[in-house]
Amino acid sequence: MKSTKRGTIEVNSISDNQAMKEVSEGKVEKLAILFERHHIPLYNFFLRLTANRSSSEDLVQEVFFRILKYRQTFQAQSKFTIWMYQIARNTHIDHLRKRKEEVPLEEQWDEAASQELSPAEKMELSQDIVLLRKALARLPVKKREVLILSRFQNLKYTEIAELFGWHTGTVKANVHRATKELSKIYFELSGGMVS
């Protein structure tokens, strides 16, 4: 809650859609409510996609810049988070295009771990987590996005279906295939045999 001399304003009393509707009507200060609610989940989404903290922070800022820039395109009948993640996906695609020649995605995990973790943090990371991250990095972008959105961002299959323009059954099948492929890559990286 936020206190002012005129009274108390509850940030939680306004829905995402209502806040975005007000932003699109010119009350851009309402974007702060949306930023407060969604910047951490967006950061985590990008961190799982890029394995780079600095890039993830920049991408979150870019998403909110684009939300402000394209506020007139928001349609109140659709869910704000779906619209936001569509902007996030487009932002990530643009980021990949710019970085295409810089660092292969798989190597970003090694780069992120070596540059951003203290020696104590490196000791705490288990081999399984490192292997899982490397396996995730080897998945094609769309499969990675589907897994991250469903497993880590907790979007419902119906929301992911709307975001991708798929049927719910297609989302379920893609999550299943991505999980199976992730498992196979993980076992190959760990030296295990996969049948």
Side-chain angles (χ1 to χ4, degrees), residues 142-165:
K142 197 167 266 190
K143 286 183 179 178
R144 211 170 337 127
E145 286 177 338
V146 167
L147 270 181
I148 291 168
L149 289 169
S150 67
R151 300 294 188 239
F152 298 105
Q153 303 306 115
N154 299 318
L155 263 66
K156 296 175 184 163
Y157 287 162
T158 54
E159 294 172 326
I160 297 170
E162 187 178 335
L163 177 62
F164 282 82

Side-chain angles (χ1 to χ4, degrees), residues 31-46:
L31 189 60
I33 294 170
L34 296 168
F35 181 83
E36 195 59 39
R37 287 181 188 166
H38 298 286
H39 77 279
I40 293 173
L42 267 177
Y43 171 80
N44 289 330
F45 172 70
F46 286 128

